[in-house]
Amino acid sequence: MCSYGYNSIRITDDIVTGGFVVRETGTFSQARKRRLREATNLISIDNLNHLIESMKNLESDFASTIELEKREIIEEYKQKEQYKLAFLEPLKENIAKGLSFFHDYRQINAQILQNINVAIETKYKGKDFEEKLEQASNYEITIYKASKLLEEKLNVARLLMNPYLINNKNEYIRFRVHVTLPP
């Protein structure tokens, strides 16, 4: 009971109700006596107990309904595979900052690859590039393979920025890595 003579009660951890007058209480202050005289609808302790039980059941039913709806939403989310795109969304801004020079790196790497290809093509004899590459020095092969490896890493970074490309079969390429270190 508050200092103004009204009753209140905590029904659950989340629900508190108040502003009513219960007929059968043992405390009688001046404010309480005034509330009893003014009240047109006094609540019996039995009605109050019934209200408490009803509210607890209602909260339990409500919590069960919410839990069921949560499970349905999560299942739909999983079935539509939205998590695949949502996974990288929070990281996209940081990835974008980290890859702000992405285009420049691709250009530099393309230039390195082009130069090593020209060097190998003009310096060695053979039917095709693979045959000429076999004749190249370990340093030239290392530059060529490192450049190809960097190209693949840049492709992975591009997929992080545009995950929809993962399912684009036109973007698939085959690449083998064989590293021979100089003696």
Side-chain angles (χ1 to χ4, degrees):
M1 185 178 352
C2 73
S3 61
Y4 293 99
Y6 290 103
N7 294 100
S8 64
I9 191 163
R10 176 176 297 279
I11 295 173
T12 67
D13 290 341
D14 298 327
I15 301 173
V16 176
T17 186
F20 55 88
V21 180
V22 177
R23 186 179 308 136
E24 305 94 357
T25 58
T27 310
F28 288 100
S29 65
Q30 289 299 330
R32 171 81 177 143
K33 290 177 185 174
R34 197 171 320 124
R35 293 294 95 61
L36 286 171
R37 278 193 311 267
E38 294 171 354
T40 56
N41 292 329
L42 294 174
I43 297 175
S44 71
I45 197 75
D46 292 335
N47 285 344
L48 183 61
N49 288 334
H50 180 70
L51 172 69
I52 292 169
E53 285 304 311
S54 296
M55 292 295 286
K56 285 181 179 179
N57 291 337
L58 182 64
E59 183 188 40
S60 175
D61 292 345
F62 187 65
S64 298
T65 302
I66 289 175
E67 189 61 36
L68 180 64
E69 287 179 11
K70 280 182 187 178
R71 281 193 218 120
E72 288 173 0
I73 290 169
I74 290 170
E75 191 58 38
E76 180 183 340
Y77 181 76
K78 288 184 339 189
Q79 285 177 356
K80 289 185 176 181
E81 296 185 349
Q82 293 172 326
Y83 60 90
K84 289 182 179 179
L85 295 177
F87 173 72
L88 291 175
E89 197 60 40
L91 304 173
K92 217 170 195 177
E93 185 179 330
N94 289 338
I95 292 170
K97 285 178 187 175
L99 298 174
S100 60
F101 297 107
F102 177 76
H103 182 70
D104 295 337
Y105 295 147
R106 285 187 74 100
Q107 282 185 321
I108 291 167
N109 191 53
Q111 190 66 48
I112 292 169
L113 191 55
Q114 183 181 4
N115 288 341
I116 195 66
N117 284 346
V118 168
I120 292 171
E121 285 284 349
T122 57
K123 189 173 177 183
Y124 302 103
K125 299 206 184 298
K127 293 180 192 173
D128 60 10
F129 184 78
E130 289 295 323
E131 200 173 292
K132 293 175 184 179
L133 187 60
E134 288 176 9
Q135 299 171 36
S137 72
N138 284 340
Y139 295 111
E140 291 167 325
I141 293 171
T142 301
I143 291 170
Y144 175 79
K145 298 291 185 178
S147 182
K148 292 299 269 182
L149 184 61
L150 179 57
E151 183 177 44
E152 284 305 304
K153 287 186 177 208
L154 290 171
N155 284 335
V156 169
R158 189 174 65 135
L159 290 175
L160 287 174
M161 293 302 296
N162 305 300
Y164 62 88
L165 292 174
I166 291 172
N167 296 323
N168 186 353
K169 296 207 186 253
N170 295 331
E171 297 287 326
Y172 291 3
I173 61 170
R174 187 175 295 256
F175 177 71
R176 297 184 309 184
V177 177
H178 301 279
V179 178
T180 306
L181 298 175

